[in-house]
Structures are given as structure tokens and as C-alpha cells.
Amino acid sequence: MHIVDGALSLPVLAGGAALALGGVAIGLKKMDYDHLPQVGVLSAAFFIASYIHLPLGFSSVHLILNGLIGLALGWAAFPALLVALILQAVFFGFGGFLVLGVNTFNIALPAVLVFYLCRGGIIAASPKVAALWGALGGASAIALTTILVAASLALSGEAFVLAAKATLIAHIPVMLVEGFVTGAAVLLIRQVKPEFLNISEEWDHD
Amino acid sequence: MPQGLEHSGTSWKGQQLKHRQSAVDRLDPRARVVAVSAFALVVVLSSDLMALSLALAGSLLLALVARLNLKRTLRRVIAMDLFMLFLILMLPFTTPGEPIFHVAGLPASQEGLVHALQITLKANAVVLALLALVGTQTATTLGHALAHLRVPDKLVHLMLFTVRYLEVIGQEYKRMRRAMQARAFVLRANRHSWRSIGYLIGMLLVHSLERSERIMDAMKCRGYQGRFYLFDDMRLTAVDVRFGVLLALFLSLLIGLHLL
């Protein structure tokens, strides 16, 4: 999901950076100091999730979990994912430096959208319904991220259109896996520690 | 991706870094962050192959001066290259232009080949410079440097917290996976595996969150009011100035080559 430096055109880089900056600003504003540790935990979880490789066919996919992060954090997903991406780029050479803005936007915007779309479903009375909405959120976050990645590539040049299409197709199995995993995670969190998914609700009051 | 090339957390221990001291460590952390940003900007914006090769040579030199662990760095750079291999291989065939060779009847254009080469050079140059100059700082130092560079307080705090939790969550993850292995759990491509991993992640988050709440309480007991005090005063020295002048000369050479 990470795009490397050098592939994208200048307008896409600048646009992504500006949009990501806006998202991070909103996220920082909505996040108070008391919730910093919680946001940090999820930011670290995103980082760890990329180690978790699940076998699939001849290859393996790694988890992204931006749906789950969005469900728990809302707008604060922007700063959380930016921090994780900075650490990945700086200490692991994973992704790039000037594309940080585009990468953050591509992963965090779906997280925020999922928050608004699936939030109501997650707090449903029946755990099964909640898990279903969680799965939907996990899968659609990946779908949206893939579309955004493909769009950033396609906008950077005609030559990338084929690669963009291939990215879309290659991520269908990832969507499926991520949906299952997120659904199960939501089910468990609801039963063990429901406050976890209600954090953001408290934030809306202040 | 082969197992050996996946990025792993083993070489990075959060606040500590397995890294030998080198000349790079005598530079001011802020100067290193600013230097990489300037370098990345110039490299990404230039398109001259000569300038880009020179930039890659420059960042290789930086990596040598920084005494980066050869094997580890190579693994990371190759992982990144494999990551974009697909994109690079496709470019010559999707860019219209002068065909230079054919593969299975498909013409490969020279323009596409040049473009693919440009992307490879740019990505590698930037990543090497980043690993050499910023990747050799501890994450805490990086956080402080960013704070001194007027990055919003909250973002810096978030980064410092995240660095701390990376270690905690990473260990917790390994512990829970070992417990699952002890119960004969094998990861396969089926619903049972995915559900179990989902529960694992849920539990991981719950454990970590409870821990973070305890940490927050402990910090409040000690008078935390949403502010970390940065005690290290970073000062620019003669070494930084010399490095800055060298870098400026190098970057103007790259820009000159690009404009010619």
C-alpha cells in the first residue's frame, strides 16, 4: 500500500500532502492530551499489524487494519497513521519520505470514512450485527485505500493506469481477509472492553 | 515476498538503536532532518539520469560514512525494490514511444525504460539518505528534533508514546502467538485462522489499552499536564555548518545538471 518516492507526479505529491495536513490538523484538534496514550496504542498496532503475514495461496498478505483504527479513533486516525508511517519510513525504509502525505491520506481517509459509515452498526445491540458491520468496515477501508492508491498512480501518468488496475485486482483477497479479521476483533472488543470503541464518542462532546 | 526480506522489528529496540557511532552522529539531529528533506526534494524533482545517479552515489557515500549495517540496509532496500518491481517492469511496455526491444511481441519503449530507471534511482537515493541521516538517531532524539523544528507538540508526544508502545505491543504479540503455538495453532488460509488472528488483535488492543490507562494514571500522579520538557538543547556547531555547505554545493550541482 505504500508508494515509494519518485513514482508520483508533483501535483499529486503536493495535493496529497495538503490534504493529509488538513486531516492531521483536524485530528490533532479533536484529540486531547488524555487520549494520547490510546491513540499511540493504535498507531503502534498499525505498525505491528504489518508484521502479521497471513498465508494466502502461494503468497502471503499482511494486515493493514486501517478500518479498525478508524472505528476506534475517527479523525484522530490521521495523526496516528502519520506517526506510524513516519516511523516505518525512517527506521525501516518502508515507503518514502516526500510521499508521506499521499500515503497518510490514502490510508487515513478511508479510516475516517469507515468511522462515519459503520459507527452506528458497531454499537448495535446484537453482537453478530456489530461484527458484521466491523467486517464491512475492515473490508471497505481496504477497498477505499486501494482505490485511492490506484487513483494516485493513475493521476501521475497514463503509463501507470495498467499498474493501477492490477493493484485493484491484487487487493481483493486482502479485503476479504481484513474483513474477517476486523469483524472478529470488533466482536471480541465489544464483549471484553466496549469502552474501547466508544472513545471517540466522548471526544465529540469536548 | 520471501520471509528474509520482510521488514522485522528485531533490529530496532524502540528507544535504543543497534548502531555504531559514526561521523554522522556528530551532526545536529535537526540539521539531519532538514538535510534529508532538502535532499529528497531536489532528488524527487529532478529528472536528469546523470544527476540522479550522482544523487544515489552521494547517498551511498552517506550510508558508508554513517556506517550502516550492510546486511540490514541491503535487506531493507531490496525489500523496497521488490515492492515496486512490478510497477517498474510494467512501465516500458505501457509508455508509448520508440520501441527498443520486444518481449513476447510487446514493444518496450525507451521513454518507459528511462522513466523506470528514474523512479528506481530516486527511490533508492532517498531511502538510503533517510536511513543514513535520520534512521541512525534514536526515535526519542528524532521526536525532540521535530519538536525543536516546531512540529506541533501533540504530534511529537504521540510519536514518543507510539515508540514506547511499539515495544510493548510487539512483545505482547509474540507472547500471545507463542501461547497459540503451544496449543497447536497453525496459520492457514481459512476462516478459523482469520477469526483467531482477529481475536488476537482484539485482545492485544485491550491489553495495551489497559496498560496505557495505567501509564496515564501514573503520569498524572507525577504531575503530567500535557507537556514534556525538552532538556537537551540542540546547538549547531562548526561540523554542522561544514556539512551544510557541502550539501548545498552538492545539491546545486544536482540542480545544475538538471537544468542543463
Side-chain angles (χ1 to χ4, degrees):
Chain A
M1 285 296 182
H2 304 49
I3 303 175
V4 297
D5 266 326
L8 299 180
S9 69
L10 188 63
V12 176
L13 280 179
L19 288 170
L21 215 65
V24 170
I26 298 175
L28 285 178
K29 214 171 161 208
K30 289 207 170 198
M31 176 177 84
D32 60 40
Y33 278 97
D34 278 1
H35 288 101
L36 266 178
Q38 278 123 330
V39 182
V41 162
L42 277 154
S43 179
F46 169 81
F47 196 108
I48 300 290
S50 63
Y51 303 154
I52 308 180
H53 283 251
L54 304 181
L56 200 73
F58 296 107
S59 134
S60 67
V61 298
H62 76 74
L63 293 174
I64 298 172
L65 291 189
N66 56 342
L68 189 61
I69 290 172
L71 286 174
L73 293 181
W75 278 97
F78 263 98
L81 290 167
L82 173 66
V83 163
L85 288 171
I86 290 178
L87 293 174
Q88 281 188 337
V90 167
F91 295 103
F92 294 98
F94 208 64
F97 185 69
L98 286 187
V99 286
L100 270 177
V102 176
N103 282 339
T104 305
F105 181 75
N106 286 350
I107 299 176
L109 182 73
V112 174
L113 290 179
V114 161
F115 171 78
Y116 284 113
L117 289 176
C118 303
R119 182 85 206 150
I122 296 296
I123 43 180
S126 146
K128 265 203 177 136
V129 174
L132 216 62
W133 276 99
L136 193 70
S140 48
I142 301 297
L144 289 168
T145 298
T146 316
I147 291 171
L148 286 176
V149 169
S152 349
L153 284 174
L155 281 176
S156 291
E158 283 288 307
F160 288 122
V161 171
L162 191 61
K165 281 181 190 157
T167 314
L168 282 177
I169 294 166
H171 278 91
I172 290 172
V174 184
M175 255 173 254
L176 217 77
V177 173
E178 187 96 6
F180 269 107
V181 171
T182 310
V186 165
L187 189 63
L188 183 123
I189 292 171
R190 258 188 62 117
Q191 278 166 357
V192 180
K193 198 173 169 74
E195 313 94 272
F196 188 84
L197 292 167
N198 292 331
I199 298 167
S200 330
E201 269 191 338
E202 302 165 12
W203 293 356
D204 288 344
H205 297 309
D206 51 45
Chain B
M1 203 181 282
Q3 283 288 308
L5 291 175
E6 283 161 15
H7 65 291
S8 69
T10 51
S11 56
W12 187 52
K13 292 268 176 273
Q15 281 107 326
Q16 301 150 288
L17 206 63
K18 285 186 192 165
H19 160 65
R20 286 176 298 165
Q21 288 291 307
S22 69
V24 167
D25 293 305
R26 283 166 50 204
L27 296 171
D28 186 294
R30 289 169 302 169
R32 286 150 78 173
V33 174
V34 174
V36 167
S37 318
F39 180 78
L41 200 64
V42 170
V43 169
V44 168
L45 291 186
S46 68
S47 54
D48 182 67
L49 281 185
M50 185 67 201
L52 289 176
S53 320
L54 208 63
L56 183 61
S59 53
L60 270 173
L61 187 73
L62 264 180
L64 281 180
V65 173
R67 295 166 71 181
L68 288 184
N69 179 317
L70 187 71
K71 225 171 95 188
R72 197 189 306 150
T73 310
L74 212 61
R75 197 174 59 213
R76 285 179 187 158
V77 172
I78 291 176
M80 183 197 69
D81 287 337
L82 281 183
F83 199 73
M84 55 176 193
L85 190 67
F86 181 64
L87 195 73
I88 303 288
L89 285 183
M90 228 173 206
L91 264 181
F93 301 102
T94 53
T95 312
E98 190 96 351
I100 40 171
F101 61 89
H102 293 256
V103 177
L106 282 169
S109 72
Q110 196 185 346
E111 287 83 350
L113 203 65
V114 169
H115 192 186
L117 203 60
Q118 280 172 354
I119 295 180
T120 316
L121 287 172
K122 284 180 191 179
N124 284 301
V126 172
V127 157
L128 271 177
L130 192 63
L131 288 175
L133 284 177
V134 185
T136 46
Q137 307 177 7
T138 63
T140 319
T141 316
L142 176 62
H144 286 189
L146 290 179
H148 283 298
L149 287 171
R150 304 256 176 278
V151 169
D153 258 8
K154 270 188 198 168
L155 200 65
V156 172
H157 285 201
L158 180 59
M159 187 164 141
L160 295 174
F161 273 116
T162 304
V163 166
R164 171 72 190 114
Y165 292 132
L166 268 180
E167 218 171 321
V168 173
I169 296 191
Q171 278 169 6
E172 186 84 16
Y173 170 69
K174 280 186 201 145
R175 205 170 57 85
M176 288 167 76
R177 273 308 296 277
R178 221 175 298 131
M180 285 167 89
Q181 271 163 10
R183 288 158 182 77
F185 173 77
V186 181
L187 254 185
R188 289 208 186 85
N190 54 31
R191 279 176 59 182
H192 171 69
S193 290
W194 299 337
R195 201 174 41 235
S196 308
I197 289 291
Y199 288 158
L200 166 79
I201 287 167
M203 214 54 224
L204 195 65
L205 291 180
V206 169
H207 278 166
S208 313
L209 192 74
E210 283 175 348
R211 195 182 177 124
S212 80
E213 282 166 357
R214 290 198 300 275
I215 294 174
M216 201 61 199
D217 291 343
M219 283 169 64
K220 280 193 177 150
C221 277
R222 288 158 180 80
Y224 175 72
Q225 284 180 321
R227 195 166 148 65
F228 281 133
Y229 296 89
L230 305 170
F231 285 127
D232 46 350
D233 56 339
M234 299 182 175
R235 228 172 262 149
L236 290 175
T237 59
V239 189
D240 297 309
V241 175
R242 250 173 284 156
F243 174 71
V245 170
L246 264 177
L247 184 78
L249 283 175
F250 184 63
L251 292 183
S252 9
L253 175 68
L254 293 185
I255 295 171
L257 276 171
H258 172 63
L259 292 179
L260 276 180

